[in-house]
Amino acid sequence: MLDVASLQIATSRRRREVVTRYCLLAAALASVLVSALIVWSLVSEAWTFIVGVAWEHTWGESGWFPRRGLYDIPTIIVPTAIVTLIAMLVAGPLGLGAAVYLSEYANRRVRSWLKPVLEILAGIPSVVLGFFALTWIAPNLVARVGKTTFLALGIAVLIAYAVIAARMIRIKFHQYKANEDSALIGLVASVAVLVVVFLLGALWTLNVWADFAPARAGSIAAAGIGVGILTIPLVASVSEDAMAAVPNSLREASAGLGARKMATATKVVLPAAISGIVAAFIVATSRAIGETMVVFLAGGAADASQFTDSPFDGGLTMTAAMASLASGTDSVVGEGLTFQSLYFVGLLLFVITLGLNVVAARFVARVRQAY
């Protein structure tokens, strides 16, 4: 016969649960403490650089030469942006295409071997891809790109951007006319930003085309392609998971209305999974910004570099600047703030990636649809 005493939890079991709970709490607090200590170490040393450097000499100087006290920040930011852009131009279409195929077209047998292949690609060490980019991509792809080929690729990218921008402007205009977004200043600002980005891209393409001289050694373009190959599995895996979460009822309804598989994939599944796909691209962008070994080996620069905005020249990204300056020595030697400049660059990377993740989280929360 059951009574109150028989339903009570045994004292030993209650003690084990309490111990387990506190152990898990300690593990969680330890991870928070480690993160806080990392941030504190970055901020404390970076603050020394921030208050000690002459900021008028961090913009427009000859380049990034920290051992001589020259800290031109655009010298490391611009190559980082170019590497990230090239990487996403490689990983975006290939990764998203692979995700669409795996989710919508591949049968179970093909999927059973193709997805592990992508996962194996993700498991290749970045130092191997960096060596591959330096010894094969740089001499066989980048060095053989002709002036006309580069101009054609640039025009194709600009046309694709113009089509996407025109569609975004049209959507914004219809929302404004329907009073869904009644602020005229928002519409004007969106159009202005899209046009300015297009013009800057066109000017940069023409400038690089005019000074075109592909290097046979490492270059920013070779590093960008290598980082793009490295991030393809990330885009494919996260995007495929997002599309797999779309209910089959939406696909069946689209097929019932007479839509073909391509129309279902592009007009039903992709819009329904847009939050996860955008999250995949943001995570891949953060991964590309933070990659070290590929850009360190294939970037074509040592621990110092002059400013360049051409992808066919050797350049120094933020991560490569940190790795190359600190490698091979027990301590970073040079001008007084050389050591602190490493922490400043690390803090800058942390802020950029944190900002990208915050933007991704806000966007996903805004457009996410629960099924």
Side-chain angles (χ1 to χ4, degrees):
M1 181 177 180
L2 293 176
D3 54 9
V4 176
S6 62
L7 294 176
Q8 291 180 348
I9 301 176
T11 305
S12 59
R13 180 179 177 184
R14 184 186 298 111
R15 189 180 301 113
R16 286 196 301 269
E17 291 182 353
V18 171
V19 171
T20 302
R21 183 179 66 181
Y22 281 109
C23 288
L24 294 175
L25 177 62
L29 292 178
S31 63
V32 174
L33 178 62
V34 170
S35 301
L37 290 175
I38 292 174
V39 174
W40 170 252
S41 66
L42 283 176
V43 173
S44 60
E45 294 291 345
W47 182 253
T48 304
F49 178 87
I50 292 171
V51 300
V53 72
W55 284 98
E56 63 271 14
H57 296 151
T58 60
W59 196 277
E61 296 295 319
S62 59
W64 179 266
F65 301 95
R67 298 186 190 276
R68 293 188 291 167
L70 297 177
Y71 308 102
D72 185 51
I73 297 177
T75 301
I76 58 176
I77 290 182
V78 172
T80 301
I82 295 175
V83 166
T84 304
L85 177 62
I86 294 174
M88 295 312 300
L89 288 176
V90 173
L94 294 178
L96 187 58
V100 171
Y101 177 77
L102 287 173
S103 174
E104 305 301 317
Y105 289 92
N107 55 40
R108 184 175 300 178
R109 183 178 179 181
V110 174
R111 182 188 175 90
S112 65
W113 66 264
L114 184 56
K115 193 166 185 179
V117 169
L118 285 174
E119 293 173 354
I120 291 174
L121 182 61
I124 297 177
S126 59
V127 65
V128 176
L129 277 174
F131 187 74
F132 173 73
L134 177 64
T135 58
W136 194 87
I137 294 178
N140 292 287
L141 289 183
V142 177
R144 295 183 180 181
V145 172
K147 198 171 184 179
T148 304
T149 304
F150 170 75
L151 183 62
L153 291 174
I155 292 175
V157 172
L158 289 173
I159 291 175
Y161 173 83
V163 171
I164 297 174
R167 184 173 182 179
M168 294 175 62
I169 292 173
R170 186 166 61 250
I171 293 173
K172 284 282 187 181
F173 182 73
H174 288 322
Q175 289 178 347
Y176 172 74
K177 289 187 66 176
N179 292 324
E180 296 180 11
D181 186 9
S182 58
L184 179 61
I185 188 172
L187 175 63
V188 175
S190 300
V191 174
V193 169
L194 292 172
V195 172
V196 168
V197 171
F198 177 82
L199 293 177
L200 290 176
L203 290 175
W204 176 78
T205 302
L206 291 176
N207 180 56
V208 174
W209 176 76
D211 300 330
F212 187 89
R216 293 190 175 275
S219 62
I220 299 174
I225 295 173
V227 175
I229 295 173
L230 190 67
T231 52
I232 286 175
L234 182 60
V235 176
S237 178
V238 179
S239 299
E240 196 272 335
D241 290 340
M243 286 185 282
V246 176
N248 285 328
S249 58
L250 295 180
R251 298 179 177 86
E252 294 168 357
S254 177
L257 293 174
R260 294 184 177 181
K261 189 176 285 290
M262 176 61 72
T264 300
T266 57
K267 296 183 179 181
V268 176
V269 178
L270 286 180
I274 189 63
S275 60
I277 294 173
V278 170
F281 275 78
I282 296 295
V283 172
T285 301
S286 300
R287 177 73 174 84
I289 293 174
E291 173 55 36
T292 302
M293 287 309 301
V294 175
V295 294
F296 177 56
L297 293 175
D303 60 348
S305 174
Q306 292 185 336
F307 175 81
T308 180
D309 60 355
S310 173
F312 300 100
D313 294 333
L316 199 61
T317 65
M318 290 188 283
T319 53
M322 296 177 65
S324 58
L325 184 61
S327 62
T329 58
D330 294 332
S331 61
V332 180
V333 295
E335 196 266 353
L337 295 175
T338 303
F339 179 73
Q340 286 75 17
S341 68
L342 298 178
Y343 287 88
F344 173 74
V345 176
L347 180 63
L348 194 60
L349 276 170
F350 175 77
V351 171
I352 292 173
T353 53
L354 179 63
L356 285 173
N357 284 285
V358 169
V359 170
R362 290 177 63 90
F363 181 84
V364 170
R366 183 177 179 182
V367 303
R368 189 171 187 176
Q369 298 180 16
Y371 298 102

